[in-house]
Amino acid sequence: MKKLLTIFIVTISTLIFAQESKESNWILKLNATQLIDVVSYPTLQISAERKINPYFSVNAEIGYQLYDFSKPDTIFLKSKGFKANLEGRVYLFKMLHSRIESKRNEFYVGLQLFYRENEGTNSVDYSPKNDETKLYTDNFGTKRTAKGFNITFGNQISMSKKIILEPYIGLGLMNRKIDNSDIEYDEINDTRNGTGLKSLFQKLNLEESSGNVFNFCFGLRVGYRL
């Protein structure tokens, strides 16, 4: 009886340990920065990271646009969109120091491939070049796609056994394609008005901003070890 009980306890303990080890390889995360992204568009963005071994992992992330900060007077296209990326990571310090156990801070370098697509109604302030005393605001439809890659740098900070914070930055290249509809503003015959961030954000919604550009990103994810 003792032998059977011992075998049973050892078996259950092994299964529990294996399950815990398996679960500790997964981290579910919310991208807090994307909730307030005013540069492109806000999304509710969730990711799952799978640790392949102590040094390598894969992080898959997807987000959907559920709202928009702009409130145009005339709506040509309702706001909707999504963002997706896939990232391979190397936990560099763990590899260099051959550490197997997780520590409080785990620095990583990653290669991220991303794709974004959205549409909505935007506006631009402009004046005709032949009479810059006249001021107009033009509402128009915008459809955008973007794809590219980033080299990412981040730090996975363990706040407890379950909760992590993950600040990150990324540098890379992006190919952006923008199509405008129902637009009266003409890049050749008109001049955009305004200065500062408002003018910059308006330009990012125009077809003239299509093409290959340098990409920079940063953010903060909040995660839970499953």
Side-chain angles (χ1 to χ4, degrees):
M1 187 66 181
K2 280 187 176 181
K3 288 184 178 180
L4 290 175
L5 185 59
T6 302
I7 293 172
F8 177 76
I9 292 173
V10 170
T11 303
I12 294 299
S13 300
T14 302
L15 289 173
I16 292 173
F17 177 77
Q19 181 67 18
E20 288 179 348
S21 298
K22 182 179 180 181
E23 289 179 347
S24 66
N25 289 332
W26 287 94
I27 305 176
L28 188 65
K29 290 173 276 188
L30 169 69
N31 195 319
T33 314
Q34 288 298 317
L35 294 171
I36 53 172
D37 185 356
V38 296
V39 177
S40 56
Y41 49 96
T43 53
L44 176 61
Q45 200 153 307
I46 304 295
S47 64
E49 181 181 2
R50 175 67 163 88
K51 294 289 183 70
I52 299 172
N53 59 39
Y55 316 117
F56 299 98
S57 73
V58 176
N59 190 77
E61 189 167 45
I62 189 165
Y64 288 93
Q65 183 179 9
L66 303 177
Y67 53 91
D68 198 351
F69 295 123
S70 62
K71 303 294 181 182
D73 296 329
T74 304
I75 297 178
F76 292 102
L77 293 173
K78 291 184 178 180
S79 297
K80 64 178 181 179
F82 71 92
K83 299 176 182 178
N85 66 69
L86 184 65
E87 181 179 334
R89 296 179 175 181
V90 178
Y91 284 86
L92 205 56
F93 289 167
K94 292 179 73 173
M95 175 178 287
L96 294 176
H97 297 290
S98 299
R99 292 193 284 107
I100 296 178
E101 293 184 1
S102 296
K103 301 298 181 181
R104 181 177 175 83
N105 295 287
E106 296 183 354
F107 176 79
Y108 69 84
V109 178
L111 174 62
Q112 180 190 85
L113 305 177
F114 65 85
Y115 180 82
R116 307 169 190 162
E117 182 177 310
N118 92 305
E119 61 182 51
T121 300
N122 300 106
S123 65
V124 60
D125 300 323
Y126 72 96
S127 296
K129 289 183 178 179
N130 58 12
D131 188 356
E132 295 189 356
T133 61
K134 295 180 179 179
L135 305 177
Y136 298 101
T137 297
D138 185 19
N139 293 311
F140 57 92
T142 304
K143 291 185 177 181
R144 293 180 290 192
T145 60
K147 56 187 176 182
F149 72 91
N150 290 316
I151 304 298
T152 57
F153 306 89
N155 190 21
Q156 202 166 90
I157 305 168
S158 296
M159 306 303 293
S160 67
K161 289 184 178 181
K162 292 291 187 179
I163 305 299
I164 66 106
L165 295 179
E166 189 178 277
Y168 66 89
I169 62 171
L171 305 170
L173 293 175
M174 173 172 63
N175 176 264
R176 183 168 54 200
K177 182 180 179 182
I178 303 172
D179 293 315
N180 298 138
S181 59
D182 301 292
I183 187 169
E184 295 181 3
Y185 162 79
D186 186 284
E187 180 184 0
I188 298 175
N189 298 316
D190 300 319
T191 301
R192 288 186 297 107
N193 295 328
T195 58
L197 292 178
K198 182 179 179 181
S199 178
L200 173 62
F201 291 157
Q202 288 185 348
K203 181 180 179 181
L204 293 176
N205 297 318
L206 298 171
E207 290 182 358
E208 62 190 77
S209 294
S210 296
N212 296 318
V213 295
F214 170 77
N215 189 57
F216 171 75
C217 64
F218 68 93
L220 174 68
R221 297 184 181 96
V222 181
Y224 183 81
R225 287 191 175 92
L226 300 178

